[in-house]
Structure formats: C-alpha cells, structure tokens
Amino acid sequence: DADVTQTPRNRITKTGKRIMLECSQTKGHDRMYWYRQDPGLGLRLIYYSFDVKDINKGEISDGYSVSRQAQAKFSLSLESAIPNQTALYFCATSEGFSYEQYFGPGTRLTVT
Amino acid sequence: KQEVTQIPAALSVPEGENLVLNCSFTDSAIYNLQWFRQDPGKGLTSLLLIQSSQREQTSGRLNASLDKSSGRSTLYIAASQPGDSATYLCAVAPGGGADGLTFGKGTHLIIQP
C-alpha cells in the first residue's frame, strides 16, 4: 500500500461548489503539506502543518482552507470553487524540518 | 523571494549518453535541495536530497552536486536508459524558519531507444 494516499484522484466540479480533498499517510510523519501544480508554473505551496495544532499559510493560500484532523490526515477545502483553481493538487509529508518530502499521487481537479 | 530555474526546459538524447540537468536558485540561504522525478499522471518520486552542508549525493547512476554559494545544483545521469524518461524537478527548502519547498518548473527528459 502507498505511504501517502489522496482521495479523490480525479474530480470535476462546478463553480461555486464546496469541495474537499483528503490526504492520509502511514509514514508516521508530523509535517504535512499541500501543493498545487499548474502547467508552466511548477508546484506552489498552499498550506503546511507541523502537527495537529499548527497550521501555516504558504505562498498561495487565498481561496483555500485546511484541517489537520489527526497526525495522519490533512484535508484541503475549496469553500467556493472557481475555474482558476483547476490544477493538479499534491499532498506531501516529512519527518521534520529539512528532511526529505514524500508526495502522494495527486488529485486532478477541474472546476467548470 | 526565492526563485528556482531549471535549464534546459526539455532535452532529448539517445540511449546510453551521460547527461547533466541544471538548477539555479536566487537565495543561497537554503537548508537543503531535493531532486524529484515526475512521470506523466503520477506523483513525485524523491531521487536525492542534499543538505546545505553537503557538496554532493549519489544514488546508483545519479549524482547531484550543490554549490550553495553560487546558487547552483546539477543532476548527472550516467548511461541514460529509456526508463529515465520523465520530468525532473529541483526544489529548495528555505532557511529562516519557514517550511515547504520552492520548485523549479522542471526539465522534460526523453531518452530515445
């Protein structure tokens, strides 16, 4: 089984809908991250969490919110989806600061 | 703001060649640099991690170097194979207490059989 899993793997939604992307990990890592990848722009950091009590904004947090339900679970929400949030979303984990990051398989989100 | 640039954006070479992928970053205050591989429709696979105090790391046919003072890293692939075809991403971890990686846009590599 994969160490970092993301659900759903693909999602099509309409403008204005609320949507949640979920990430689970079995690596026992404290740090978890959400990134988005856009063609021509590379990956950019949305939010990150050091533990269940600590949430931090990344470079592009506007329009997103997150929830760290447990050490192993980190969810990303789009409260009111818009078309320019169409992207590939990745979750990642790390054992600690300056440690290697491990990525999930990604969620392809399309907002129409 | 940290910026990471990867050159070339795309590269196509015959099987068996040795090749070098380049990565540069604007702020030398980094904690580490990580090279990833991304296959179409899939996630990122970590290849090598170089801490800021290190000069290079090796794994099999891959060798990554880091020159922190000049803001450069290279990924050397020896004896390339068609299975090496993928997009290679370079990412740096910032200093100063922040977290998360800053990525380059990648080099799309094709190894011709």
Side-chain angles (χ1 to χ4, degrees), chain A residues 9 31 33 35 37 40-45 48 50 59 88 90 96-106 108, chain B residues 1 31-32 34 36 38 41-44 46-49 51 89 93-95 97-105:
Chain A
R9 294 294 313 279
R31 296 184 178 228
Y33 310 81
Y35 296 87
Q37 184 177 35
L41 292 178
L43 280 87
R44 293 176 291 167
L45 181 66
Y48 60 99
F50 294 161
E59 178 187 354
L88 189 54
F90 287 104
F97 182 70
S98 192
Y99 281 71
E100 193 170 5
Q101 290 196 16
Y102 297 88
F103 281 72
R108 185 168 296 281
Chain B
K1 175 186 174 185
Y31 267 81
N32 66 45
Q34 199 166 350
F36 295 89
Q38 185 175 22
K42 296 188 178 181
L44 280 67
S46 179
L47 298 173
L48 290 163
L49 171 73
Q51 300 292 352
L89 299 168
D99 203 351
L101 297 172
T102 299
F103 281 82
K105 296 178 182 179

Side-chain angles (χ1 to χ4, degrees), chain A residues 76-103:
Chain A
L76 176 71
S77 293
L78 288 66
E79 296 301 326
S80 180
I82 56 176
N84 76 0
Q85 291 177 314
T86 293
L88 189 54
Y89 289 83
F90 287 104
C91 173
T93 73
S94 174
E95 185 177 352
F97 182 70
S98 192
Y99 281 71
E100 193 170 5
Q101 290 196 16
Y102 297 88
F103 281 72

Side-chain angles (χ1 to χ4, degrees), chain A residues 33-85:
Chain A
Y33 310 81
W34 276 104
Y35 296 87
R36 67 177 275 178
Q37 184 177 35
D38 299 273
L41 292 178
L43 280 87
R44 293 176 291 167
L45 181 66
I46 306 173
Y47 271 96
Y48 60 99
S49 169
F50 294 161
D51 60 38
V52 294
K53 298 178 182 179
D54 185 274
I55 302 291
N56 300 276
K57 292 182 178 180
E59 178 187 354
I60 53 164
S61 59
D62 288 348
Y64 301 95
S65 62
V66 291
S67 173
R68 186 80 183 267
Q69 300 95 325
Q71 185 204 36
K73 296 185 181 296
F74 193 35
S75 299
L76 176 71
S77 293
L78 288 66
E79 296 301 326
S80 180
I82 56 176
N84 76 0
Q85 291 177 314

Side-chain angles (χ1 to χ4, degrees), chain B residues 15-113:
Chain B
E15 179 179 3
E17 284 200 3
N18 303 324
L19 55 98
V20 174
L21 307 182
N22 296 292
C23 172
S24 62
F25 45 95
T26 55
D27 186 348
S28 62
I30 64 169
Y31 267 81
N32 66 45
L33 184 144
Q34 199 166 350
W35 282 94
F36 295 89
R37 168 187 174 135
Q38 185 175 22
D39 294 282
K42 296 188 178 181
L44 280 67
T45 301
S46 179
L47 298 173
L48 290 163
L49 171 73
I50 310 177
Q51 300 292 352
S52 61
S53 58
Q54 297 175 320
R55 297 286 291 183
E56 66 178 297
Q57 283 285 346
T58 298
S59 176
R61 295 182 293 108
L62 305 179
N63 175 275
S65 67
L66 174 64
D67 184 342
K68 184 180 167 184
S69 61
S70 69
R72 295 180 181 179
S73 176
T74 61
L75 179 66
Y76 175 83
I77 303 177
S80 58
Q81 304 170 357
D84 295 330
S85 298
T87 297
Y88 290 80
L89 299 168
C90 166
V92 298
D99 203 351
L101 297 172
T102 299
F103 281 82
K105 296 178 182 179
T107 294
H108 181 56
L109 176 64
I110 296 175
I111 307 299
Q112 306 155 9

